[in-house]
Structure formats: C-alpha cells, structure tokens
Amino acid sequence: MLPPAIRQLELSKIFTLIEPGPVVLVTTCAGGKNSIMTISWTMVLDFSPRLAIATGAWNHSFAALRQTEECVIAIPTVDLLDRVLGIGTCSGADTDKFARFGLTPIPGNFVKAPLIRECLANIECTVVDIIDQHNIVVLDAVAAYVDDARRERRTVHAVGDGSFIVDGRKLDRREAMAEKLPAGV
C-alpha cells in the first residue's frame, strides 16, 4: 500500500512530470509572409545538431513548415513570456504576429524564415522528417546564434497545465562529467 501522501496521477497528466526543453518560438516564411508559432514540446536528438518539435495541422504555421521544409527556432527568455503566450493563443492566418507583439524579424543566412531579434538565441533549421502519426517534426540545425549582450538569459519551461517553470541557478559539473561524455561534446 502507498503512503497517504502519495496520490495516483491520471495517466493523461504524466506530461506534467516530464517537461521538455524550453518554450520556443518557431518562425516560418511561405509566400513571402512571416509567421510565428509557440511550441512547448521540443527535444534534442542524440549529440548531433538534430532537434524535434511537436506540432501538427491544427497550427497555422505548420502548413508553411511542411511546404518550405525550413524554420527558425527562436529561444525567448522569461521577460518575453506574455508575448510568447499571446503568440500561442492567436492565429497567423489573420494576424501579423511580428507586428502585433512588437518583435523584429532578422533575415537568416541559410533559410528564408526570420530570426527574432528579441530572443536570446536563434537556430536555423531544415526539416528532415515529419512523423504524422506522432505530430513530430525532425529538424537539422544548419546555423545557431546567441545574443551575448542580452542580460536576461533565463528560459521558460511549460509544465503543460498552464503553469511554467523558469530556469534558476546554473550548476557547473562539467569537470566531473568530462570523462563520461562522448568525444566532441
């Protein structure tokens, strides 16, 4: 028998226990029109520059992502949380999200999708695979940029129930792990 303080969680809620990487903004450009979508389910695949995001046809920008097979993953910080939420709760079908949320598009070097000036980092990506059964888009990073002048560096992680966790203190254990990491990491 379980101790009284331990309660059973509905299986449909387990995603709140294993939150993925930070909430990101994904930009696309199709037909000369820039768009942005908020994505809270991201993952790194292996130790390569391969990433994946979870999204699908319910998201207006997904059609552009499928058509152009490229995007930018922009990593916002906690000071942008309200804009990130706003972007995720309106549709690019009828909204210029860059204008509405005061974000600055910057041309990329390798893809047509724009970087976002206000974000801490931007990663230009090409689509490797779309796994429709699981709504997963597999991406290869082709270039990455970090704004070293940006003071705010804390990212936001979605729990999945409308609440968020902000990155806290950074703990450095690189020396202890150095001999355990694969070569080149």
Side-chain angles (χ1 to χ4, degrees):
M1 177 170 224
L2 295 173
I6 297 178
R7 66 178 170 83
Q8 186 169 356
L9 182 67
E10 293 176 45
L11 288 176
S12 64
K13 303 289 185 192
I14 64 168
F15 62 88
T16 65
L17 300 173
I18 305 176
E19 63 93 10
V23 175
V24 299
L25 297 172
V26 176
T27 68
T28 56
C29 182
K33 183 180 176 189
N34 293 333
S35 193
I36 313 170
M37 60 180 157
T38 299
I39 299 290
S40 58
W41 294 95
T42 61
M43 61 195 101
V44 176
L45 303 176
D46 200 11
F47 287 98
S48 66
R50 186 158 284 177
L51 313 165
I53 60 174
T55 187
W58 64 85
N59 201 321
H60 173 74
S61 296
F62 180 72
L65 184 64
R66 187 182 278 285
Q67 174 192 343
T68 64
E69 297 185 331
E70 61 182 33
C71 66
V72 168
I73 295 178
I75 303 173
T77 49
V78 66
D79 56 320
L80 297 173
L81 180 58
D82 290 337
R83 290 194 243 182
V84 169
L85 293 176
I87 289 165
T89 57
C90 69
S91 175
D94 55 17
T95 304
D96 177 345
K97 295 183 185 187
F98 278 95
R100 180 171 176 185
F101 296 100
L103 297 172
T104 310
I106 299 174
N109 289 320
F110 298 94
V111 301
K112 290 184 177 132
L115 285 64
I116 300 177
R117 174 69 184 105
E118 291 76 12
C119 287
L120 173 64
N122 287 271
I123 306 167
E124 294 185 68
C125 299
T126 57
V127 174
V128 174
D129 194 8
I130 297 177
I131 305 166
D132 290 317
Q133 179 182 0
H134 299 291
N135 299 310
I136 294 174
V137 180
V138 181
L139 305 165
D140 270 350
V142 296
Y145 316 92
V146 176
D147 184 351
D148 288 329
R150 198 153 199 317
R151 286 187 176 160
E152 182 60 74
R153 302 184 81 74
R154 296 173 297 158
T155 57
V156 176
H157 300 256
V159 174
D161 61 358
S163 62
F164 298 84
I165 297 170
V166 178
D167 280 343
R169 192 176 76 188
K170 187 174 184 177
L171 305 173
D172 185 348
R173 297 295 188 270
R174 289 177 281 192
E175 188 175 314
M177 291 183 66
E179 59 199 46
K180 294 178 173 72
L181 291 175
V185 176

